[in-house]
Each structure stands twice: as C-alpha cells, then as structure tokens.
Amino acid sequence: MLKAVLFDLDGVITDTAKFHFLAWRDLGAELGIIVDEAFNEELKGVSRMDSLERILAYGGLADKYSLAEKEAFCTKKNDHYLELIKEMTPADILPGILPLLEELREAGLKTIITSASKNAPGILALLQVKDYFDGIVDPASVAAGKPAPDIFLAGAELAGVQPAECIGVEDAASGVDAIKAANITAIAIGDAAVLGHADRVLTDTSDLALAVLRDTWEL
Ligand code: B16
Ligand code: MG
C-alpha cells in the first residue's frame, strides 16, 4: 500500500530555481564564469558546494581555490539567495500542491521533505506549509547527495515505512536518479526529454492528485 510521499522542495513545492540561478549567476560573474540558464539546469537538486564545484569546473577553475575560499563563496551565494527569497509568501506555492497536501492529510499518508536545500525549513515557514509535513530530512545528515539514494532512503525511514511503500516527487534529473536508486516509485514534474527515467512525468504540479500518485505507484 502507498503510505508516504517524499517531496522535493525547489521546483515541486515552490519555484526557487530562478533565485538560485540569479545568485549563482552573480557569483559566477565575480569569478569570471558565465552561468547561463542552460547550465543552471544541471545545478537543480545539486547541493550548494557541489553546485559551486560544478561551476568552477565549467569555468576551468576547478583547482584554483582553497576549501576556505570555496566555503566563503557558498556563504556569499547563500546570503544573496536569502535576500532574494525573503519576500516569498504562500502565494508562491506551486499550483495543485495545497489541495494535494490536504488530500494526503485526509487520507492519512505521511509526507516528508527530501530536499537538498539547507534552507528548506525557512522556505516552508515563509510559505506557511510546515504543518503539512511529518518531517524534513536534514540534507547535512546524509552521506551522499542526489543522485545517490541516501536522502530518499532517509525520508522513508523518517516516515517509518519501507521504500517500496513510498512515492517520490522531483523536478530534477539527479533527483529522479536518487528516487530510482532507492527503489522508490518516481513522479517527475517537467520535461519528459530530461525526466523520462521517472515512472510518470507530469508537465505541471497542477496535475498532481492522490489518485495520480496511487495510479503511478500501482503501475
Ligand atoms: P541550498 P531541491 C536544491 O533543492 C536546489 O534544486 C539546488 O539548486 C540547490 O543548490 C540545493 O537545493 C541546495 O540548496 O543552497 O538552499 O542548501 O530541489 O533538492 O529541493
Ligand atoms: Mg528540485
């Protein structure tokens, strides 16, 4: 039986990708690296430090900076990101998410946040949806980030259920990889050309509903 839904945050509950992009673009510009929207796609679902490493490698600067310098760059990017998201409100919840959360609560399914973002608790508070979730996996507590399965396995454990009793919802290719590596059914939101390895791809969050999740889980 389907017992728990493991939600990615950025790109599923709300669209913070544009703010991550602006913050990385400006940091990249300071370092002489052009971060465009196409390259930014590759950073979705990828942790802060791993994103920086990818940007530096993209700019041919992989070995230029010390760990302390890289940590300072990450802090700078995050300070800018926090400045950009501070005006977020419940109006920024993506379409279909609130009705789905209501449905899941009504049906007694567990709901867990499995986001790579260390800012997830703060964002859920701004969106005023924290109470809809039974738990948030701390991304710092898992050994390996997406595409490794760790965060989704930790999500199932936090829900107190088996991975086979869960469904994961993601917008990033690396996130779908992580769900599938955990042997969990995957629903992806976005472009089927990038997310075709999910069990079902929906173009929009407004297509999400408990019946769709159950139907996909039973495939
Ligand atoms: P932070 P998700 C991910 O969130 C974002 O997609 C990714 O762009 C970001 O770098 C990562 O969180 C870390 O975020 O810097 O806030 O800790 O999609 O896994 O919910
Ligand atoms: Mg995401």
Side-chain angles (χ1 to χ4, degrees), residues 8-11 16-17 20 24 43-48 51 77-78 81 114-120 123 139 146 170-172:
D8 177 49
L9 175 70
D10 295 330
T16 45
H20 282 295
W24 283 129
L43 305 179
K44 284 188 179 171
V46 177
S47 76
R48 199 178 305 163
S51 297
K77 179 265 174 177
N78 196 53
Y81 175 72
T114 41
S115 166
S117 176
K118 292 177 179 165
N119 294 301
I123 294 170
K146 302 168 187 178
E170 260 291 347
D171 70 313

Side-chain angles (χ1 to χ4, degrees), residues 19-217:
F19 301 124
H20 282 295
F21 169 60
L22 292 174
W24 283 129
R25 188 196 61 184
D26 285 8
L27 184 78
E30 273 183 49
L31 302 176
I33 302 169
I34 296 166
V35 177
D36 58 21
E37 283 192 75
F39 179 68
N40 187 61
E41 274 301 305
E42 293 177 34
L43 305 179
K44 284 188 179 171
V46 177
S47 76
R48 199 178 305 163
M49 183 56 88
D50 287 351
S51 297
L52 176 66
E53 300 279 13
R54 287 189 190 200
I55 290 167
L56 292 175
Y58 181 65
L61 302 177
D63 300 317
K64 185 169 176 192
Y65 299 105
S66 68
L67 180 60
E69 285 171 312
K70 288 192 265 193
E71 279 169 353
F73 292 148
C74 282
T75 301
K76 189 166 194 183
K77 179 265 174 177
N78 196 53
D79 287 347
H80 185 190
Y81 175 72
L82 290 176
E83 192 58 34
L84 294 169
I85 64 167
K86 73 175 187 211
E87 311 289 350
M88 285 180 86
T89 71
D92 294 299
I93 301 167
L94 285 170
I97 293 296
L98 269 185
L100 175 66
L101 291 172
E102 292 281 1
E103 251 193 310
L104 295 174
R105 176 188 269 177
E106 191 101 330
L109 273 81
K110 295 274 188 205
T111 48
I112 303 288
I113 291 285
T114 41
S115 166
S117 176
K118 292 177 179 165
N119 294 301
I123 294 170
L124 292 174
L126 286 169
L127 299 176
Q128 298 174 25
V129 290
K130 230 173 176 169
D131 293 348
Y132 282 103
F133 295 96
D134 297 295
I136 302 171
V137 178
D138 176 2
S141 73
V142 297
K146 302 168 187 178
D150 305 33
I151 197 160
F152 287 98
L153 292 172
E157 198 177 328
L158 192 56
V161 303
Q162 295 300 315
E165 296 170 318
C166 298
I167 198 160
V169 189
E170 260 291 347
D171 70 313
S174 62
V176 172
D177 287 332
I179 298 174
K180 296 308 294 175
N183 274 319
I184 291 174
T185 304
I187 292 215
I189 310 293
D191 185 353
V194 186
L195 304 165
H197 50 315
D199 296 282
R200 177 165 295 187
V201 183
L202 304 173
T203 42
D204 205 84
T205 51
S206 55
D207 297 330
L208 282 167
L210 179 53
V212 176
L213 301 191
R214 284 206 167 116
D215 192 56
T216 308
W217 186 81

